[in-house]
Amino acid sequence: MRVKQVFKQSIDLKTKVLADDQLMQLINDIVQVCVESLNNGGCIFFCGNGGSAADAQHLAAELTGRFYYDRPPLNAEALHTDTSFLTAVANDYSYDEIYARILRGKAKKGDILIGISTSGNSGNIVKAFEVANEMGVTTVGFTGETGGKMKPLSCYLFNVPSQDTPRIQEVHALAGHVICELIESSIFPK
């Protein structure tokens, strides 16, 4: 039955990630750099395309709103939510410039940019990572197996060991939730 196959594929990939001590440590490292940035007045910016844009917006909302419990908002933003800006820059410059341009206007040294791309080759995220690195913004890539063009541009690379886009996105969402939970509990311990 196909339904069971899909669930099993998802579980198997998550089990593979869970067994990878380097990826587990990487999540802790990402949490620590995010907590440090937020505690020093920084912002966590997110970007992605399509389903990854939805994940980016979701994770920014988890931080600015709440995750498990009521607490003050954390400084986080999904960079694609201003459609007037997005469409103007895509039209006047190019789609590859949308995230790089907004970073130049909003980001500062010590901020974090989390880029989500299953291929690791999304032109607008690659360009944003180049700009972020020039500005002293820490780059965190969420990709698939190879890391693509984002690999050499990522200070931290969470590359899910798969080439199956929906399964990669499922692991990205889980890892994002873990990161949000640990940021919240670290900055606002109960």
Side-chain angles (χ1 to χ4, degrees):
M1 175 188 267
R2 181 64 184 146
V3 173
K4 284 187 175 185
Q5 286 177 324
V6 172
F7 271 84
K8 182 158 181 2
Q9 289 169 352
S10 182
I11 290 166
D12 289 348
L13 181 56
K14 289 173 182 146
T15 301
K16 186 175 182 178
V17 170
L18 177 63
D20 187 326
D21 291 337
Q22 288 182 328
L23 287 177
M24 294 297 100
Q25 182 57 51
L26 179 63
I27 289 175
N28 278 321
D29 295 344
I30 292 167
V31 169
Q32 292 308 310
V33 74
C34 288
V35 166
E36 182 179 328
S37 176
L38 290 166
N39 281 337
N40 289 319
C43 183
I44 302 174
F45 295 103
F46 293 87
C47 61
N49 296 292
S52 296
D55 288 342
Q57 192 168 342
H58 175 162
L59 296 174
E62 299 288 22
L63 295 174
T64 57
R66 58 170 286 173
F67 193 74
Y68 269 114
Y69 48 86
D70 291 330
R71 40 82 176 163
L74 293 166
N75 193 10
E77 180 179 351
L79 294 175
H80 62 278
T81 59
D82 182 342
T83 55
S84 295
F85 170 85
L86 192 79
T87 55
V89 171
N91 184 61
D92 294 347
Y93 298 93
S94 81
Y95 192 70
D96 282 353
E97 290 293 325
I98 61 172
Y99 294 136
R101 187 160 182 88
I102 201 164
L103 275 178
R104 286 186 186 102
K106 290 187 173 212
K108 63 188 179 314
K109 184 176 183 176
D111 287 340
I112 309 290
L113 174 61
I114 298 178
I116 308 171
S117 169
T118 58
S119 70
N121 293 320
S122 300
N124 55 357
I125 298 176
V126 169
K127 182 77 172 173
F129 271 39
E130 291 170 351
V131 168
N133 285 323
E134 291 168 11
M135 296 177 66
V137 172
T138 300
T139 52
V140 178
F142 275 43
T143 70
E145 191 165 31
T146 70
K149 293 176 183 175
M150 289 169 59
K151 183 177 182 176
L153 300 171
S154 297
C155 300
Y156 300 89
L157 181 68
F158 184 77
N159 56 324
V160 178
S162 175
Q163 295 179 18
D164 186 337
T165 297
R167 303 295 83 82
I168 294 167
Q169 289 175 324
E170 291 161 6
V171 175
H172 284 172
L174 176 59
H177 273 164
V178 172
I179 289 167
C180 289
E181 176 183 346
L182 296 177
I183 289 171
E184 180 180 75
S185 64
S186 179
I187 295 177
F188 303 107
K190 279 194 131 187

